Amino acid sequence: MSANTISPQMIDQVAQSGLPERSGPRQKVVIVGAGMAGLVAGYELLRAGHEPLILEARQRVGGRIETLREPFTHGLYAEAGAMRIPRTHHLTLGYCEKFGLTLRPFTMGNPRAYYYFAGRKFRAGEVGQNPELLPFDLTPGERGKSAGQLWREAIREIEEALRTHGEAAWTGIAEEFDQFSTREFLEYKGWSEGAIEMYGLMADQEALMNSSFLELLREDVGGFYEDMSEIEGGMDSLPRAFLPALGRNIRFGAKMMAMDQSPEGVIIHYQTGAGRFTAEGDYAIITVPFPVLRHVEVVKPFSRAKQRAIRQLHYDASAKIVMQFRRRFWEEDDGIYGGGTTSDLPIRATYYPDHSQETGRGVLLASYTWSEDAQRWGSLSPRDRIEQALENLMLIHPQVREEFEIGATKMWHDDEFAGGAFALFDPGQQTLLYQAIINPEGRIYFAGEHASLAHAWIQGAIESGLRTAMQVHQAAAGAG
Ligand code: FAD
């Protein structure tokens, strides 16, 4: 079954009730990667009576869902990867519910948190009431409006088209706007340089201004940053919840090195600490990110279109710097319970944890950056990253020097099994590459957040895992 004939409704149906009853023979399916895409595909194929084998290079499930419990003291943790789930991500929430995981609110906007720009600190609530407090060079027509108001005005027509025509409007929107970066779209809408700077800083989009406008638009109109939750005890509870059912079908420490296929089946060559092995199957589902796939030998070459997609798909960088403090001074002294502070400092965005209040301590996400901002942190030594981030944070919260206990950093663009944080289309790439990214190559299918239009979200990984499980299931029925 081609990817194009699988509708979102069919995917929802599989998420709720599993794959349709198996009519063809039981299939051996080699899945590479035990992130959310691979886990969901393996789980649904197993439930439908197939025989999945998941090869995972690391010693854990979850991939880019990674809850750090070390080096922190008892009961504390931080999220190096995914940390929040919006209300609209029904597939992600559906699997949380299926496994009985407890969710708690993840605070986004908090009027008590700060903006720190050009050496001055403002409470977010103050700026909300009086945007003119901020030092941006705006035209008379822009003055007095917040970055959010200006943005809503800029996308009003697009929102109207979506309200009138629903999902069908996306075809026209993509045709009209795929070539635009966010910066180009704002220029096209007549924004001044001061307004672009204000939006970039306040919406924390400055580093992403040259990415496809459609990526930001999809997140915004899809409510991806609204009404958010986190999983009690850490986000890794979600991938770990698959282990009772699927654990015996996973081989850890197994790094794919090469893949081959014939009209009858697939062979994945992989490396473990004990040497080189092969796994043979009727089908394969490859979920590893494209930057990693670029270094895997493909014995029977993929189509030119797939090769180009693997070469060209843009991946963004992302860095997180987390710090344990002896006291929740942001709550006790500043009255900030959850949410984030945004600045023009190298640390950019700081998030105050909603969880672990019972410990009296807390692990602050001192810095969360993307693109060039993240790469600049990557060029420092781990020790310097923490020192520099502390210096930045001290300008906003002078208490940090006194209260600091330990820090940790994660650079996703330097991670051997990610090769980047997530796929993020450059302008034009949706039209140019999307179909080639998701198309199967013979008996090899492709899943992972990059093989969806919900890049950088668990939702996209799950959707692609369900899609490929359906494709394999249907192909097997045809073969039977
Ligand atoms: P992965 O999780 O990367 O899984 C791929 C797996 O393949 C990995 O386990 C990897 O070890 C394995 N692998 C790689 N190479 C090989 C090889 N050669 N052989 C064998 N195995 C291999 N999403 C949200 O919903 N909410 C958020 O708040 C959020 N925040 C994020 C913040 C950051 C910093 C990042 C990086 C991501 C964030 N995401 C968020 C996105 C989300 O984490 C991902 O979209 C999702 O986890 C990706 O799942 P996946 O299965 O596609 O890929």
Side-chain angles (χ1 to χ4, degrees):
M1 184 181 257
S2 110
N4 297 336
T5 54
I6 296 180
S7 66
Q9 292 73 20
M10 291 160 87
I11 288 177
D12 290 355
Q13 183 64 33
V14 178
Q16 278 161 25
S17 326
L19 290 163
E21 200 173 322
R22 181 162 58 86
S23 58
R26 178 186 173 92
Q27 301 291 313
K28 281 180 88 169
V29 186
V30 185
I31 298 172
V32 187
M36 284 305 293
L39 290 170
V40 164
Y43 179 78
E44 297 302 347
L45 286 167
L46 186 68
R47 289 210 301 160
H50 296 291
E51 205 183 321
L53 167 67
I54 305 186
L55 300 175
E56 168 55 54
R58 303 182 213 254
Q59 291 299 327
R60 62 171 181 84
V61 288
R64 281 169 279 172
I65 300 180
E66 183 177 13
T67 306
L68 302 178
R69 294 187 175 77
E70 301 283 334
F72 309 115
T73 196
H74 322 285
L76 289 176
Y77 61 87
E79 302 295 351
M83 64 179 178
R84 50 195 167 177
I85 309 169
R87 172 68 44 221
T88 52
H89 283 185
H90 62 287
L91 296 174
T92 312
L93 294 172
Y95 277 94
C96 290
E97 196 184 330
K98 192 184 295 250
F99 292 121
L101 304 179
T102 308
L103 298 176
R104 45 178 297 154
F106 180 103
T107 309
M108 280 294 294
N110 183 343
R112 302 282 303 169
Y114 296 111
Y115 287 116
Y116 184 92
F117 296 138
R120 291 176 60 197
K121 186 164 94 171
F122 309 89
R123 291 273 188 186
E126 284 174 75
V127 171
Q129 279 175 359
N130 184 7
E132 293 196 60
L133 284 174
L134 295 174
F136 296 105
D137 197 8
L138 303 178
T139 62
E142 293 163 345
R143 233 168 265 146
K145 292 181 183 163
S146 69
Q149 276 170 299
L150 288 170
W151 171 255
R152 291 257 83 77
E153 284 174 17
I155 62 164
R156 184 177 297 143
E157 283 161 30
I158 298 177
E159 286 193 304
E160 263 168 34
L162 282 164
R163 255 194 305 276
T164 314
H165 304 292
E167 287 295 303
W170 277 111
T171 311
I173 295 169
E175 270 167 24
E176 195 173 350
F177 293 110
D178 186 31
Q179 299 302 325
F180 284 78
S181 67
T182 298
R183 161 170 276 282
E184 285 164 342
F185 174 76
L186 298 179
E187 285 171 349
Y188 164 73
K189 284 286 165 184
W191 285 32
S192 70
E193 201 48 46
I196 294 176
E197 187 190 13
M198 175 169 84
Y199 179 72
L201 285 171
M202 296 191 67
D204 198 14
Q205 287 295 319
E206 195 166 54
L208 304 176
M209 278 286 170
N210 295 323
S211 295
S212 165
F213 161 65
L214 290 184
E215 295 276 22
L216 175 61
L217 181 70
R218 226 183 331 263
E219 289 195 333
D220 188 68
V221 299
F224 286 19
Y225 287 99
E226 287 163 26
D227 196 0
M228 305 193 93
S229 312
E230 61 183 10
I231 302 173
E232 184 97 53
M235 292 293 284
D236 64 354
S237 309
L238 177 57
R240 284 180 185 210
F242 289 83
L243 283 171
L246 206 53
R248 295 205 61 78
N249 297 66
I250 303 175
R251 177 146 191 189
F252 289 109
K255 178 182 174 186
M256 171 175 64
M257 307 299 287
M259 67 181 100
D260 197 4
Q261 63 173 316
S262 68
E264 288 76 42
V266 296
I267 303 180
I268 305 294
H269 299 261
Y270 64 98
Q271 177 98 43
T272 75
R276 212 85 184 216
F277 297 86
T278 54
E280 294 187 21
D282 299 299
Y283 298 94
I285 297 176
I286 306 296
T287 75
V288 305
F290 276 6
V292 177
L293 199 53
R294 186 91 167 96
H295 298 290
V296 171
E297 187 189 344
V298 183
V299 179
K300 182 172 182 297
F302 292 151
S303 65
R304 293 271 319 279
K306 180 73 81 183
Q307 290 184 36
R308 182 170 71 153
I310 295 169
R311 283 198 314 271
Q312 295 183 358
L313 176 61
H314 177 74
Y315 270 72
D316 201 37
S318 184
K320 281 192 174 180
I321 303 173
V322 290
M323 295 180 184
Q324 174 186 315
F325 292 102
R326 197 166 61 99
R327 180 171 85 77
R328 295 170 84 91
F329 55 83
W330 55 92
E331 294 177 357
E332 293 170 18
D333 303 349
D334 297 71
I336 304 173
Y337 292 83
T341 279
T342 309
S343 77
D344 57 5
L345 299 166
I347 51 170
R348 290 284 196 185
T350 299
Y351 281 89
Y352 307 97
D354 288 293
H355 58 78
S356 308
Q357 266 175 334
E358 68 287 354
T359 67
R361 290 180 155 75
V363 183
L364 205 64
L365 174 50
S367 171
Y368 182 15
T369 49
W370 297 306
S371 280
E372 260 79 32
D373 281 337
Q375 262 149 4
R376 285 165 197 165
W377 284 109
S379 64
L380 302 185
S381 70
R383 195 192 155 131
D384 283 353
R385 286 175 205 148
I386 298 197
E387 265 185 35
Q388 290 298 314
L390 266 174
E391 264 181 35
N392 279 195
L393 201 54
M394 210 165 31
L395 297 168
I396 302 166
H397 294 288
Q399 305 95 319
V400 295
R401 258 295 170 226
E402 282 296 306
E403 310 295 353
F404 174 80
E405 292 184 322
I406 197 160
T409 73
K410 176 80 191 183
M411 307 289 121
W412 283 100
H413 41 289
D414 291 338
D415 184 302
E416 137 175 53
F417 300 121
F422 29 73
L424 196 70
F425 285 139
D426 281 339
Q429 286 200 328
Q430 181 167 321
T431 309
L432 202 62
L433 304 182
Y434 180 61
Q435 200 56 51
I437 293 168
I438 63 172
N439 277 347
E441 294 282 329
R443 289 173 168 265
I444 300 178
Y445 292 80
F446 295 84
E449 55 86 29
H450 55 284
S452 78
L453 287 178
H455 289 158
W457 293 93
I458 298 169
Q459 174 87 355
I462 295 181
E463 184 197 296
S464 69
L466 291 171
R467 171 178 48 75
T468 47
M470 278 185 87
Q471 287 175 297
V472 166
H473 190 64
Q474 290 294 336

